[in-house]
Amino acid sequence: MKLRVEEIRYENIREFGDMRLDFTREGSNETHHISLVQMPNGTGKTTTMELIRHLLLGTKLEEEQVREFAPDPEYAPEYAPSQGEFVMTFATDSIRFRIHMELDYEMGSVQYRHSYPQREGGGTDSGHFLPLELEDALTEDFVDLFVFNGELTDDFIETGHDKAENALKIVSRLDRIERQRERIDRIVEKRQEDSGAKTSQGLKQVRTRLNSRREKLQTLEERRDQLNKDIKQHNSTIEDLKEEREEIIAEDKEALERYKELEEEIQRLQTKLQSDAGDLLDDMRRPSALAADFNEDFSELLEHMTILKLPKSTSEEFFNELAEGETCICGRELNEEHREKIRKNAEEYLSDEDIGVLNTLKEQLRNTADVEDFESRFTSLSDTRQELKKNEMEQDQLDLDDPELEQKKQELTEKIESERNSRNEKQEKVDLLTTDDKGQRERFDLDWKTNIPEAKREVNKYEKKVQQASDTVEFSKQADKLEEIFDEFIDRSLSELKERQIQETNERLKQILGLSEVQIESIDDSIKLRGKSGSSEGQSLSVAYAYLSTLFEGSQVDMPFVIDSPAVSLDHKVRREVATIISGLFDQLVAFVISTEKEGFVQNLEPMQHDGFEDIQYYTVHKTDTPGVVQKHTDHDFFMEFTSEEEEATTTVGAE
């Protein structure tokens, strides 16, 4: 199914008294390839995106949420409408329909109605309506993928966020299977409550302890998430301060040249340090590589297992099954004495599970790693760290000839150092919260009240106690088995989907976008690019957009892409790259922008051709001198010449 947005209409919603945005070509129901809606900050851009999401989902809003959309009575005290309406017209392959979102500001309520423009007689029907294919697909998470905040795009690329992987789960509906899996725990808990306990008081006490540990775990995880958020903010602030410092240094050409040389060397050393440390950790996980004694012991164990011909080819289960039969495999009839003898002798054989474990062990022993010289690698890591620190210090202490500029630079350097110290302190707290290293836990006296892995173990321990107390152990085991089946299905499915998604996105980047040098290497929560050091920010963001468009192609619904602020945080060079790419990725693109985004982005969009003209539509929506009155223009020249003084004064865009 193909879904397109044909029209948006406002009536008595915040700044909008009566406004209509038509995204169709004149004289037809075909939508424009690209529709640009320029709205200065404070005009209603964020309001529009919020309303689109609510309308698609049929959200039941709270009273205060509804009243927040009411026009400000300060603008027109004599005219305070009690109701407002937001309407969207959609088209699919076979049907056109409208959804009406009716807001009652006095009652603080919202009602949904729907209508069919092609039907004779008109009129609306009550209730929120979507075609069946859409009703099943448009979950809140799915809507957030195509009604998109452009400032969050880079969260898809190597950030530690899980947006890329979650998007794949949402489109493939694996997220629904995950939710079903989560229901198992609730069913088990309900069964435990219904079954009662061997002693009700005992169950109550154990449950109380379990709940306190769950609450502590949740608190620790929230603390970790907040610290990670703060760390990200510190990193962002550091980058802003470094850019400001670099602008000052740029006034001293000689100092700037040295600064850039040091920056390149710092980036190279950071990449090398991360790569070498990762390789070292991977190699140290193989005990046979750590010491010659380990290596010899493993070789000796393999030799003994081979001599003893372990595991035995016949398992314990074979004889237990034989004892249940009427006759032996030799044809002789079995009596109870024979059966008892077979069962007793079966204990001398290994089980199928033991055989599997030993076979795996033998295979691992055959691939024993050689002993490595880790000391030299540690020394190399230490040298790299020292060299990195030396370059960072030189960069921070780079002197300028102009005393005034030097003073400003020093102040910025001190701020950067302060941000780094705050970030590092919080990173240390995160490390202690999340470490699962026994030595560190003992050294810092960490327990379930201060450490997440320990809290999880404590929760697991008391979950088992609850199971035992409620006499539902067997039921819980079956639930665990079902959870394992879900987990295995999700892991296998996700692995195959990732492989296919990587292949299809890379093919699109290579054949359609002409970025063959920028390719996805893996999807591990976020997207990891192959040879990331060689790709620009614009190319990275283009990969994220290409990833989303490929996802939509693989879904059951071909979606439009409605994006807020696609270029507000990008410098001009990156804007040009992203504009060229995003134009060819979506059949319908509706972008809400502010005036400062035009330079670099709007100028470089490459829309499809229609009747020999570029299929792009320009709207400018802005406030007037009359409070509460908003005007709309559809002229291209007005769009390009329009400037919001407020945005020019408050928005900083990097130089070209």
Side-chain angles (χ1 to χ4, degrees), residues 102 146 250 257 287 339 423 426 472 481 499 536 585:
E102 299 175 348
F146 70 89
E257 184 176 347
R339 293 190 179 92
R423 177 196 64 187
K426 290 173 181 176
T472 58
K481 188 66 177 177
E499 185 177 345
S536 68
L585 293 177

Side-chain angles (χ1 to χ4, degrees), residues 323 335-345:
N335 57 34
E336 194 54 41
E337 182 180 352
H338 296 148
R339 293 190 179 92
E340 185 60 32
K341 187 71 171 178
I342 292 172
R343 292 190 187 98
K344 183 177 181 181
N345 290 335

Side-chain angles (χ1 to χ4, degrees), residues 322-372:
L322 178 63
E324 299 299 323
E326 295 296 327
T327 61
C328 179
I329 59 173
C330 64
R332 184 180 62 176
E333 289 189 6
L334 296 176
N335 57 34
E336 194 54 41
E337 182 180 352
H338 296 148
R339 293 190 179 92
E340 185 60 32
K341 187 71 171 178
I342 292 172
R343 292 190 187 98
K344 183 177 181 181
N345 290 335
E347 297 175 1
E348 299 178 7
Y349 290 81
L350 297 170
S351 68
D352 287 337
E353 184 177 348
D354 293 334
I355 290 174
V357 171
L358 289 172
N359 278 330
T360 301
L361 177 59
K362 286 176 69 175
E363 185 62 30
Q364 293 290 332
L365 290 171
R366 290 192 184 99
N367 297 304
T368 299
D370 295 331
V371 180
E372 291 197 22

Side-chain angles (χ1 to χ4, degrees), residues 291-328:
D293 290 345
F294 288 163
N295 201 296
E296 292 172 4
D297 288 345
F298 288 151
S299 298
E300 185 178 353
L301 176 59
L302 176 61
E303 182 180 353
H304 289 169
M305 291 182 72
T306 304
I307 292 173
L308 294 172
K309 298 188 181 301
L310 292 174
K312 296 179 180 179
S313 58
T314 306
S315 70
E316 177 183 359
E317 282 80 359
F318 168 79
F319 293 103
N320 286 331
E321 291 172 3
L322 178 63
E324 299 299 323
E326 295 296 327
T327 61
C328 179

Side-chain angles (χ1 to χ4, degrees), residues 491-526:
D491 289 344
R492 287 187 179 183
S493 300
L494 191 58
S495 177
E496 293 177 5
L497 287 168
K498 284 180 179 179
E499 185 177 345
R500 186 173 65 196
Q501 180 67 20
I502 290 170
Q503 180 181 353
E504 291 178 356
T505 306
N506 284 343
E507 190 66 27
R508 167 160 287 196
L509 289 169
K510 183 177 180 181
Q511 295 182 0
I512 301 178
L513 310 181
L515 291 176
S516 58
E517 73 276 11
V518 181
Q519 298 277 278
I520 296 177
E521 182 177 290
S522 63
I523 304 170
D524 185 7
D525 289 341
S526 52

